[in-house]
Amino acid sequence: LKGFFKRKKNFPEYLKKYLKTENISLTSYGRAGLYEIVKVIIENSSKKIFLISPYTIPAVIHAVKYAGGEVSYVDIDQKTGLIDINKLEKKINSYTAGVIITHLYSHNEDIKNFILKFKNKITIIEDAAINFGAKINNQYLGTLADFGFFSFAMVKNLNTFTGGAIYIKDNETFKRYISKKNLKKYPTSKTINLIITAIIIKLFFNNFSYQISHFFLKLVYKNKISFILKRIYPVLYHNFQDEIPELYFHDFNWIMNDVAIYNLKKIEKDFNERVRKAKIYFQEIDDNVALKTNCFNGENCLLEYTIILKKTSSEILHKRLMESGYDIRHTWYINNVKNLENYKKEDFEQTFNLESKVLCLPIHKNISDVDIKKISSIINKYNR
């Protein structure tokens, strides 16, 4: 509330100190950050083709296109969560502007090996949207390579309701970008809408009201009520607009300056509790039923705990969990290659498998250790 009346703009200084770099600039959204990065790269190199795994949110693909870039897909390596190294090497050519790596659930060695292998061979953009605060050898994801972008949306580790930031490694490139930066004020009406949405989510998903709303959610899934599903799974309903959305031209929402600083200060405490809960899943879930990610060294901020089922699909297991009272997210990102007219499925086998088998398990503050053990037991029972 203070932010409505006392518009301070000192959050960037806290952010730069936290990330240990001066080359940070705030944006209105995470995707707007990628849009700005792609524009900078195209302007500097006159190249337009960006390589990326198709397993991402459509907004990332759209941001590249809005900035004048073109996307070329490379299969994911589901063991590392990064682009398949061998396929990427074959895809790079003189027309390649850069590669976008999405930090999903990679182990620190996977990330270090990838960046070491392609450093100085191709411009690397880190998508650290869901991994703000994760780090390797005391250096934060999003600042390891040439460019990086973060998201501070409502469900992210650093929550400012909306917003994001970009990192540019090269000092001269960063200075030129800042000198040209000219963005519109973030609309107050959108802030009010976000606050109302946050209140609804808070009321709807606390432990008490969830016991009632769970029955309503079962009806939503059963009858596929689209206008509600759009809220639960926006990634499935993100459409490309011919004109660049207005949000790309907005500045950071400075009403959220104090909120940002408050949430930044408590990131480590929240992270440690999520790690503790993730380790329970790791111990309880049978190795024979799922590939379990082992990212407990700070290289992943663990908004959720990711597993890849070995047999049953995530949608089938989602139904089983719903029957026991747990609405576990069955869709994380999507396989964007399916939007192409001509593609060979065999070229993207790991992406197709990951899309159908990945399950994102809750480790937020409202989930108890008892719940985690029960969820793990259900997964073990129905995925044999």
Side-chain angles (χ1 to χ4, degrees):
L1 289 174
K2 284 194 300 182
F4 273 102
F5 307 103
K6 199 173 182 180
R7 303 289 178 92
K8 291 189 287 185
K9 294 187 177 183
N10 59 338
F11 170 52
E13 301 313 310
Y14 284 83
L15 189 60
K16 290 174 182 179
K17 184 177 180 180
Y18 180 87
L19 292 173
K20 301 176 182 178
T21 176
E22 288 294 314
N23 293 5
I24 296 291
S25 180
L26 295 179
T27 60
S28 58
Y29 293 80
R31 67 196 69 168
L34 176 59
Y35 168 82
E36 296 291 337
I37 288 170
V38 171
K39 283 201 306 178
V40 167
I41 293 172
I42 292 175
E43 182 181 327
N44 290 347
S45 68
S46 298
K47 298 177 181 179
K48 295 185 177 182
I49 297 176
F50 291 82
L51 305 179
I52 187 172
S53 156
Y55 191 68
T56 186
I57 62 171
V60 166
I61 308 302
H62 298 166
V64 174
K65 293 180 178 179
Y66 289 137
E70 299 174 20
V71 168
S72 182
Y73 295 121
V74 183
D75 199 12
I76 199 167
D77 181 343
Q78 69 174 18
K79 289 184 178 179
T80 69
L82 297 168
I83 291 178
D84 186 295
I85 285 178
N86 296 324
K87 291 182 178 180
L88 177 60
E89 273 195 305
K90 294 175 182 177
K91 198 92 173 187
I92 297 171
N93 57 40
S94 59
Y95 300 101
T96 306
V99 58
I100 302 169
I101 58 171
T102 309
H103 289 301
L104 296 173
Y105 52 80
S106 309
H107 189 270
N108 56 16
E109 292 302 317
D110 300 327
I111 298 169
K112 285 192 290 187
N113 290 340
F114 186 98
I115 291 178
L116 184 63
K117 185 174 183 65
F118 293 102
K119 185 179 180 181
N120 300 323
K121 289 183 181 179
I122 185 174
T123 298
I124 301 174
I125 306 165
E126 295 178 79
D127 177 351
I130 63 170
N131 264 306
F132 178 86
K135 56 188 173 182
I136 295 173
N137 295 339
N138 214 29
Q139 188 176 358
Y140 288 92
L141 269 59
T143 68
L144 302 176
D146 303 296
F147 295 87
F149 66 98
F150 309 93
S151 173
F152 306 146
M154 205 174 295
V155 295
K156 300 299 194 302
N157 194 25
L158 176 56
N159 172 12
T160 67
F161 282 21
T162 182
I166 66 172
Y167 164 77
I168 299 175
K169 182 178 181 180
D170 182 74
N171 291 329
E172 292 304 315
T173 303
F174 180 74
K175 288 176 184 177
R176 282 198 303 273
Y177 166 73
I178 293 298
S179 69
K180 296 178 181 179
K181 188 175 178 181
N182 183 24
L183 299 169
K184 299 177 183 178
K185 178 184 173 184
Y186 193 91
T188 303
S189 60
K190 286 187 176 292
T191 304
I192 294 170
N193 286 336
L194 286 166
I195 292 172
I196 293 171
T197 301
I199 291 170
I200 292 170
I201 290 172
K202 189 74 174 176
L203 292 174
F204 200 77
F205 287 104
N206 69 61
N207 280 349
F208 174 75
S209 63
Y210 178 74
Q211 305 309 316
I212 301 169
S213 63
H214 174 257
F215 297 102
F216 172 69
L217 285 171
K218 289 178 76 171
L219 290 174
V220 169
Y221 287 120
K222 183 178 180 180
N223 297 292
K224 298 181 179 179
I225 303 173
S226 61
F227 78 93
I228 298 175
L229 288 173
K230 285 180 182 179
R231 295 288 184 183
I232 300 173
Y233 292 104
V235 68
L236 296 173
Y237 299 91
H238 194 282
N239 297 317
F240 182 80
Q241 301 175 30
D242 291 331
E243 293 187 7
I244 302 175
E246 186 68 20
L247 66 90
Y248 285 87
F249 306 115
H250 290 154
D251 193 4
F252 178 75
N253 184 4
W254 291 108
I255 289 173
M256 294 297 157
N257 184 84
D258 289 351
V259 172
I261 295 171
Y262 172 82
N263 284 329
L264 183 63
K265 288 180 178 179
K266 68 186 188 74
I267 273 185
E268 299 300 327
K269 179 183 176 182
D270 292 346
F271 169 72
N272 290 334
E273 178 61 9
R274 290 197 303 272
V275 170
R276 187 190 68 78
K277 289 181 176 180
K279 285 181 176 179
I280 299 175
Y281 281 120
F282 187 80
Q283 293 166 357
E284 294 288 326
I285 295 174
D286 193 326
D287 290 341
N288 294 316
V289 303
L291 175 66
K292 300 174 292 185
T293 52
N294 185 6
C295 304
F296 303 129
N297 299 307
E299 70 270 57
N300 193 295
C301 79
L302 293 168
L303 287 174
E304 295 167 299
Y305 181 63
T306 309
I307 63 171
I308 303 169
L309 303 171
K310 291 186 176 180
K311 296 179 181 178
T312 309
S313 75
S314 53
E315 287 212 33
I316 290 174
L317 200 49
H318 171 265
K319 292 176 183 177
R320 297 290 189 185
L321 288 159
M322 279 292 287
E323 290 168 3
S324 300
Y326 298 105
D327 181 22
I328 306 300
R329 191 147 66 104
H330 63 70
T331 298
W332 193 12
Y333 289 171
I334 65 170
N335 182 3
N336 287 275
V337 80
K338 290 189 290 189
N339 294 323
L340 301 179
E341 291 184 7
N342 299 307
Y343 68 87
K344 294 179 180 179
K345 189 173 180 178
E346 58 267 27
D347 292 337
F348 301 95
E349 285 184 0
Q350 294 190 80
T351 304
F352 275 90
N353 186 69
L354 184 63
E355 183 186 40
S356 65
K357 302 282 188 178
V358 72
L359 202 61
C360 300
L361 304 176
I363 47 179
H364 54 72
K365 62 181 67 176
N366 286 333
I367 203 84
S368 70
D369 291 8
V370 173
D371 287 321
I372 290 173
K373 289 179 181 179
K374 188 175 179 182
I375 291 167
S376 300
S377 176
I378 295 167
I379 292 170
N380 288 337
K381 180 180 179 180
Y382 289 108
N383 192 44
R384 292 191 181 279

